[in-house]
Amino acid sequence: MSNSNENQKIAQAMPIMRSIRIGSAPSTMPMMPLRSTIKQQHQHQQQHQQQHTVKVASRVVPSWKLTSELPELSELYPLERCHIEIEGADDQQVATRISNALKKASISANFENSTAIATTMGHVTFAINLFRTRSAVVVECQRLSGCSYSYCQNAKLVLKSAKGEQHRMVSIPPCPRMVRVASFEANKTEALQIAIDLLQEERIDAQRMGLESLVHLSEDSSFRLDQAPCETVLDHITSQSSADPLHHSALHILANMLKNRSMEERFLTDKLVSALVMDMEHANANPHNAHLACECLAHFERQRVSFFTDAILVASESGKSSHALLEASSSLLLANVIR
């Protein structure tokens, strides 16, 4: 009996644990989505592009148009290191500067009020978020996928352009020219064989590595492909969705081979022409592929391309609004067709 009374006294003397919140009250304004949410939005946009197979002359978005006020930057939101604050700036002016810089750099972007998902020709995807404080506009960049070095260069471009400054992209210096030795051709042949072996694997990651290796190897004027691997590359163009990264790499290989005149005429079928025309028609969804398709069609006979003027015009309008390289390649192709 005495032991139970002592236990009750001890229990009454123990402190009562309560949860508390440290810091000021959270902002009443809605917070921007974090990295995981932005990735989910990007995956949803990719799925939407894969389902988009109807021929479209869709609406061209001229620039980044803000449809509502920017969200207030909450004290609880963890900003990325790649961000700047622009004092006394107008929200729409900052958005317009960024969209113009993306167009000059030929970086495609999907805009949704205060967030943009940008993708480069080198498969680097990053998010651009805009916030508002009492006296400044905050611009933040978040890498979602791709090469870290390339992302840093493009993030600098975005942040400097937001302030109205010019930024020169620093390209990776070329490797020093090596003296040709007896084993040079053997090494090149071995690299080509490794890429072809990867291309024949069932795994998608192996096929992607093989195609990306062939992209670099095909830049050499002496590059040649046998019938079987060449048909495999072209099959990724004619049968894969335009949103598939394998489709983009295959287009790049074809453009390099046509430029170096190493593609045999018998492979340039009507089915291939139709696939390239479809890429131009979907220029608003994927301007990178449309640019490569225009470069490929520029090497075809004029009579085979002259029937697809409407698709070239769609690509040209998309390039004028959002993609400098597509604007140049489609304008050149259109000039060759109507001359």
Side-chain angles (χ1 to χ4, degrees):
M1 186 69 179
S2 61
N3 292 337
S4 61
N5 292 334
E6 292 178 358
N7 292 336
Q8 291 179 359
K9 292 180 180 180
I10 294 174
Q12 292 176 357
M14 292 176 62
I16 300 175
M17 305 303 296
R18 301 180 184 274
S19 60
I20 63 173
R21 178 176 56 82
I22 301 175
S24 59
S27 172
T28 57
M29 296 294 291
M31 290 179 59
M32 284 293 296
L34 297 178
R35 182 187 300 273
S36 59
T37 307
I38 293 175
K39 283 188 175 181
Q40 291 175 1
Q41 292 176 355
H42 173 56
Q43 292 172 357
H44 175 72
Q45 290 170 357
Q46 286 184 329
Q47 293 175 359
H48 176 72
Q49 289 179 5
Q50 291 175 358
Q51 297 171 357
H52 183 68
T53 57
V54 182
K55 291 185 178 181
V56 181
S58 58
R59 179 176 61 90
V60 176
V61 180
S63 61
W64 193 348
K65 297 295 184 182
L66 301 178
T67 57
S68 61
E69 294 183 357
L70 295 180
E72 183 180 347
L73 180 61
S74 171
E75 296 179 359
L76 304 179
Y77 182 82
L79 274 174
E80 294 282 341
R81 293 180 61 184
C82 292
H83 75 274
I84 57 169
E85 295 185 10
I86 308 173
E87 296 288 340
D90 178 70
D91 300 354
Q92 184 58 61
Q93 184 182 22
V94 173
T96 302
R97 289 173 181 171
I98 294 175
S99 63
N100 290 339
L102 293 177
K103 177 196 172 183
K104 291 180 181 179
S106 297
I107 300 174
S108 67
N110 295 320
F111 304 111
E112 187 174 351
N113 195 32
S114 61
T115 299
I117 305 296
T119 305
T120 70
M121 289 282 290
H123 308 291
V124 177
T125 304
F126 60 99
I128 307 170
N129 300 320
L130 300 182
F131 302 95
R132 162 60 70 178
T133 64
R134 290 184 178 180
S135 60
V137 175
V138 179
V139 182
E140 176 196 40
C141 294
Q142 291 181 344
R143 186 177 73 91
L144 302 180
S145 63
C147 172
S148 298
Y149 176 81
S150 179
Y151 160 72
C152 290
Q153 294 300 313
N154 289 286
K156 290 178 183 178
L157 168 69
V158 170
L159 299 182
K160 285 194 173 183
S161 63
K163 295 188 295 183
E165 299 178 359
Q166 296 292 329
H167 176 66
R168 184 177 62 87
M169 295 290 288
V170 180
S171 59
I172 300 176
C175 296
R177 186 174 296 276
M178 304 295 292
V179 179
R180 287 180 176 265
V181 294
S183 61
F184 180 82
E185 293 297 330
N187 292 338
K188 189 166 63 173
T189 303
E190 182 182 3
L192 176 60
Q193 188 59 49
I194 292 173
I196 293 175
D197 291 341
L198 288 171
L199 196 59
Q200 296 172 349
E201 294 283 344
E202 295 183 358
R203 305 192 318 274
I204 299 298
D205 58 339
Q207 296 178 18
R208 185 169 181 177
M209 290 176 62
L211 285 173
E212 289 180 354
S213 297
L214 290 178
V215 168
H216 298 289
L217 291 171
S218 61
E219 294 176 354
D220 190 356
S221 58
S222 62
F223 176 82
R224 295 292 185 278
L225 276 180
D226 295 332
Q227 179 174 351
C230 187
E231 290 177 348
T232 302
V233 171
L234 297 180
D235 184 62
H236 284 293
I237 299 177
T238 56
S239 62
Q240 295 290 341
S241 168
S242 60
D244 195 325
L246 302 181
H247 183 91
H248 177 84
S249 298
L251 279 173
H252 209 155
I253 296 169
L254 176 61
N256 288 341
M257 295 184 68
L258 289 172
K259 180 180 178 181
N260 296 327
R261 303 183 183 277
S262 58
M263 175 64 72
E264 297 183 22
E265 186 71 24
R266 59 192 177 101
F267 293 117
L268 306 180
T269 62
D270 293 338
K271 184 179 180 180
L272 177 60
V273 174
S274 299
L276 296 175
V277 171
M278 186 173 294
D279 280 326
M280 291 193 302
E281 291 175 342
H282 295 163
N284 294 324
N286 199 325
H288 299 324
N289 288 352
H291 161 62
L292 292 174
C294 289
E295 285 198 333
C296 292
L297 289 171
H299 298 278
F300 282 66
E301 295 179 358
R302 178 171 172 268
Q303 291 78 6
R304 300 183 66 179
V305 186
S306 58
F307 300 102
F308 308 107
T309 308
D310 291 342
I312 302 175
L313 290 174
V314 171
S316 178
E317 290 299 319
S318 178
K320 290 177 181 178
S321 65
S322 60
H323 201 281
L325 288 177
L326 175 58
E327 180 183 6
S329 59
S330 59
S331 298
L332 180 62
L333 178 61
L334 186 62
N336 292 337
V337 170
I338 63 177
R339 63 183 170 83

